[in-house]
Amino acid sequence: MEQAKITERGRLTRQRIIEATGEQILASGIGGTTLDTVRAATLTSKSQLFHYFPGGKNELVSEVAAWEGRQLLDAQEPEIHDLGSWESWERWRAGLVHYYIARGRWACPIGSLATQAAMTDPELESTIAASMRAWRDMLADGVRKLQQANTVDATADPQRIATVILAAIQGGLILSQPERSAWPLEAALDNALAPLHLVSTSRTP
Amino acid sequence: MEQAKITERGRLTRQRIIEATGEQILASGIGGTTLDTVRAATLTSKSQLFHYFPGGKNELVSEVAAWEGRQLLDAQEPEIHDLGSWESWERWRAGLVHYYIARGRWACPIGSLATQAAMTDPELESTIAASMRAWRDMLADGVRKLQQANTVDATADPQRIATVILAAIQGGLILSQPERSAWPLEAALDNALAPLHLVSTSRTP
DNA sequence: TCTTCATTGGACTTCATGGTCCATTCCTAC
DNA sequence: GTAGGAATGGACCATGAAGTCCAATGAAGA
């Protein structure tokens, strides 16, 4: 892709637009986010939006999705790259829950986009699917480490377990929304992680 | 509420509109469903839409949500009212998965609406939350039956287990979408149901 | 048959929103 | 300091979708 000339100042403006759009999408959905509200929130003008995102709203939303995907994985560092022990998994779990709580809204930037965009925009759908796959693969790697450490049944399918964990996160968030509380998320997540510490003697009460 | 005069013919038209709208929402989301496409699909006119749903699109979508909620529970009959044995849970599970497969799309009419409408329409949100709660309560009742039959740990919280199961369904459906397969749903669901048959000697391979 | 009201048809209005265009300002390199 | 291109401002346009209105039709009872 031929990169158009862009200065540092422009890069900052562009990033500001992406982040503000991400906020609004998380709060009001794609449909509830208009270029005008983004413009207002970022103190920019219509021409800037199309200057930095020639493809219009679609391109903007795609960039948001990609950025949110990176953000989400970054928020799980460094544990996401470890997961070689049950303690690491526990730290990872705590950090992830904290991340969602800190956002204030019970919605996953990726999962919520996934349901909204699945039918609308096929390109966006594949972007999101890629993020999901990357995430799942990292979790599966962690499961494999536990298997090699012999603390988890070696015959279990790591991809399957990783998928179950992701499903628990996404579903848990959906149910956390009306409750205005993290407990459904935590309950679902803990249940999904159960197969990973069968050897543990005690469960936290 | 004062019911306006309505004939059988009108009732049928009204129902036709609700069902067609439900289809379109499931396929394209609320935003992707317009009164014009509904009108075309149902061979009706604009005035009919507002005749039967004076509140406009909002009212129509609300009615769809309520109807889909009833449909979803009906589809789980009669098992949803039993769940007094593990075999009944297995039948329930099979029926539910079959229901989603039969719909062709990997989306829960309730869950998908929940994420779309959570921020948009507070009234709709509460309608959906009510459906979710009803569903969860029925599952919790089933868990209690197993506890009374002494096949499940009596100290476990039925509401919590029910919530975990619902989360698995919702999250599993999200992950089933890109896979175009039911296996993530089934994996998540099986894992969520695991606590209900710990006494079983063998797991299905 | 005639009256009445539910039902239906469809043109028209209004408005939000994505997108275009051009002028102006701001940097930076020369 | 000045020329050129990036960055910005904001008016303007096109379109699609929600919602309104009134006239026409159909059916069922008096």
Side-chain angles (χ1 to χ4, degrees):
Chain A
M1 54 171 82
E2 27 183 326
Q3 192 73 358
K5 290 277 182 65
I6 194 172
T7 68
E8 181 62 12
R9 185 181 169 209
R11 213 187 51 75
L12 255 49
T13 300
R14 192 185 134 99
Q15 185 59 23
R16 188 156 39 99
I17 294 172
I18 289 181
E19 298 191 12
T21 306
E23 282 293 320
Q24 294 193 12
I25 287 180
L26 203 61
S28 319
I30 295 179
T33 300
T34 76
L35 296 187
D36 263 347
T37 57
V38 170
R39 188 187 49 67
T42 54
L43 297 176
T44 54
S45 65
K46 220 49 170 312
S47 66
Q48 279 166 291
L49 264 41
F50 284 86
H51 180 68
Y52 295 112
F53 308 93
K57 189 177 182 179
N58 275 355
E59 182 176 345
L60 174 54
V61 173
S62 280
E63 293 291 317
V64 169
W67 180 75
E68 297 269 29
R70 287 193 298 271
Q71 281 290 106
L72 183 54
L73 288 188
D74 282 354
Q76 297 171 63
E77 297 291 356
E79 297 304 340
I80 190 77
H81 272 106
D82 180 356
L83 300 180
S85 65
W86 171 246
E87 289 69 32
S88 177
W89 279 90
E90 275 186 322
R91 283 193 298 273
W92 167 79
R93 192 216 94 123
L96 186 66
V97 172
H98 176 267
Y99 165 80
Y100 285 123
I101 290 180
R103 305 218 90 187
R105 316 185 189 288
W106 301 109
C108 179
I110 297 305
S112 121
L113 272 181
T115 52
Q116 290 183 56
M119 47 284 281
T120 313
D121 186 337
E123 184 206 337
L124 178 55
E125 185 180 8
S126 68
T127 300
I128 291 168
S131 283
M132 278 284 194
R133 241 177 291 119
W135 193 2
R136 190 192 58 189
D137 288 346
M138 298 184 88
L139 295 180
D141 280 347
V143 173
R144 273 188 215 97
K145 284 185 190 168
L146 290 190
Q147 286 177 325
Q148 280 156 16
N150 254 328
T151 66
V152 162
D153 177 12
T155 68
D157 179 2
Q159 289 284 350
R160 180 188 159 102
I161 295 180
T163 300
V164 168
I165 294 171
L166 271 191
I169 294 171
Q170 300 300 329
L173 283 169
I174 289 180
L175 295 191
S176 278
Q177 241 162 260
E179 298 281 340
R180 304 263 196 279
S181 154
W183 81 257
L185 168 63
E186 296 186 287
L189 195 41
D190 283 342
N191 193 72
L193 294 179
L196 298 185
H197 64 142
L198 286 179
V199 295
S200 290
T201 51
S202 68
R203 299 192 54 167
T204 47
Chain B
M1 51 172 84
E2 27 184 329
Q3 192 74 357
K5 291 274 182 68
I6 194 171
T7 69
E8 181 62 14
R9 186 182 170 207
R11 211 187 54 74
L12 255 48
T13 301
R14 191 186 136 98
Q15 184 59 23
R16 187 156 38 98
I17 293 173
I18 289 180
E19 298 191 13
T21 306
E23 282 295 320
Q24 293 193 13
I25 287 181
L26 203 61
S28 320
I30 295 180
T33 300
T34 76
L35 296 186
D36 264 346
T37 57
V38 170
R39 189 187 50 68
T42 54
L43 298 175
T44 54
S45 66
K46 222 44 172 315
S47 66
Q48 280 166 290
L49 265 41
F50 283 87
H51 180 68
Y52 295 112
F53 308 94
K57 189 177 183 180
N58 276 355
E59 182 177 344
L60 174 54
V61 173
S62 280
E63 292 291 317
V64 169
W67 181 75
E68 296 271 29
R70 286 191 298 270
Q71 281 290 106
L72 183 55
L73 288 188
D74 283 354
Q76 298 171 61
E77 297 290 357
E79 297 304 340
I80 189 76
H81 272 105
D82 179 356
L83 299 181
S85 65
W86 171 245
E87 289 70 31
S88 177
W89 279 90
E90 275 186 321
R91 284 194 297 273
W92 167 80
R93 191 216 93 125
L96 187 66
V97 170
H98 176 267
Y99 166 80
Y100 285 123
I101 290 181
R103 305 219 90 186
R105 315 184 190 288
W106 302 109
C108 179
I110 297 305
S112 124
L113 271 181
T115 50
Q116 290 182 54
M119 49 284 281
T120 312
D121 188 335
E123 184 205 336
L124 178 55
E125 185 180 8
S126 69
T127 299
I128 292 167
S131 283
M132 279 284 193
R133 239 177 294 121
W135 195 1
R136 190 192 59 189
D137 289 345
M138 297 183 88
L139 294 181
D141 280 346
V143 173
R144 271 187 217 98
K145 284 185 189 168
L146 290 191
Q147 286 178 324
Q148 280 155 17
N150 255 327
T151 67
V152 161
D153 177 12
T155 68
D157 178 3
Q159 288 285 349
R160 179 188 159 104
I161 295 180
T163 299
V164 168
I165 295 171
L166 272 192
I169 295 171
Q170 300 300 328
L173 282 170
I174 289 180
L175 296 191
S176 278
Q177 242 162 260
E179 298 281 340
R180 302 267 197 277
S181 153
W183 80 257
L185 169 63
E186 296 186 288
L189 196 41
D190 285 342
N191 192 73
L193 294 179
L196 298 186
H197 64 143
L198 286 180
V199 294
S200 290
T201 51
S202 67
R203 299 192 52 167
T204 48

